[in-house]
Amino acid sequence: MRYSRGDTIIEVMFSFVVFSLLTVGTYIVMNRGTQIAQRSLEITLVRQQLDAQVSLIRYVKDTNPAQWAELTSSKFLVNNPLDVVSASSDGCPAPGGRVDLATGTNAFFMSVDQKNDTVLPVRVLDTTYSSPSVYANVDLINAKTYGVFAQIVRAEQNSGVNTAKAYDVYVNACWDSVGAAAPLTIGTVTRIYDK
């Protein structure tokens, strides 16, 4: 009579351990891949928001001289380029210079007035600005911004002569992303030449 040998309890436990490690490792890799895909999508969407803000500012400059004059007035214009952005306690950029959101800053965002079919700048206040719940964006219809703001500075003002009448538009965004230890920030600077 022949004896049949089966697997010992040690061999069975070892196979369960190997299977468990492979399962957990696969889950970790898939989770990380999902986080990277989510972050890439958020960055793409926020980049589109920043580009839209710049496009709306260019549109105002080209179509509404009175509104453009207001944007380049002391109400919105930052006097010192070093005051454009300052650090905040949560790691996000904040409007520099006057940073009291209750009384208003020189930071703004572009919104749409559907009644008059116009584009207008809205000052960043505590009633119009809040932290984003998913990613930084601007609600054009309701005139609210979630982590996005713009500031405008006269370009090359330190040269003493600003013959080109150029302005630098800084647009910044900040939001908490999935799996990131620190908030994600994106900013862009666009030079606009006045006529």
Side-chain angles (χ1 to χ4, degrees):
M1 181 175 198
R2 294 190 156 168
Y3 293 103
S4 306
R5 283 195 61 172
D7 292 332
T8 64
I9 191 75
I10 301 290
E11 292 168 334
V12 171
M13 287 176 56
F14 181 74
S15 65
F16 276 123
V17 167
V18 169
F19 177 73
S20 298
L21 288 175
L22 287 173
T23 303
V24 169
T26 302
Y27 177 75
I28 289 171
V29 168
M30 288 176 58
N31 190 29
R32 184 69 180 143
T34 303
Q35 288 176 351
I36 291 170
Q38 174 74 22
R39 190 171 304 125
S40 295
L41 177 62
E42 290 173 358
I43 289 171
T44 300
L45 292 172
V46 171
R47 175 57 58 196
Q48 289 174 348
Q49 294 285 320
L50 299 183
D51 291 344
Q53 288 293 302
V54 171
S55 293
L56 289 172
I57 292 169
R58 285 183 187 276
Y59 174 78
V60 164
K61 182 218 169 265
D62 292 339
T63 63
N64 192 336
Q67 198 75 52
W68 176 248
E70 182 182 8
L71 266 179
T72 56
S73 71
S74 61
K75 180 178 179 181
F76 292 107
L77 195 66
V78 177
N79 292 327
N80 187 350
L82 299 175
D83 287 339
V84 171
V85 175
S86 62
S88 65
S89 60
D90 63 357
C92 284
R98 298 173 284 168
V99 295
D100 182 13
L101 290 181
T103 59
T105 69
N106 51 3
F108 64 95
F109 62 96
M110 302 306 289
S111 185
V112 175
D113 181 4
Q114 287 187 322
K115 287 181 181 177
N116 300 325
D117 197 29
T118 58
V119 176
L120 62 140
V122 178
R123 290 181 68 182
V124 170
L125 302 166
D126 58 358
T127 57
T128 60
Y129 181 89
S130 63
S131 296
S133 58
V134 180
Y135 63 92
N137 60 57
V138 175
D139 183 353
L140 295 174
I141 306 303
N142 296 315
K144 288 189 67 87
T145 180
Y146 302 95
V148 177
F149 66 90
Q151 290 178 294
I152 190 165
V153 180
R154 180 169 285 126
E156 303 170 7
Q157 65 181 4
N158 293 334
S159 65
V161 179
N162 186 8
T163 57
K165 291 190 178 179
Y167 297 92
D168 289 333
V169 176
Y170 294 79
V171 186
N172 293 287
C174 185
W175 72 101
D176 291 320
S177 185
V178 176
L184 291 182
T185 59
I186 294 180
T188 188
V189 182
T190 302
R191 181 157 290 180
I192 297 177
Y193 291 95
D194 208 351
K195 295 178 183 180

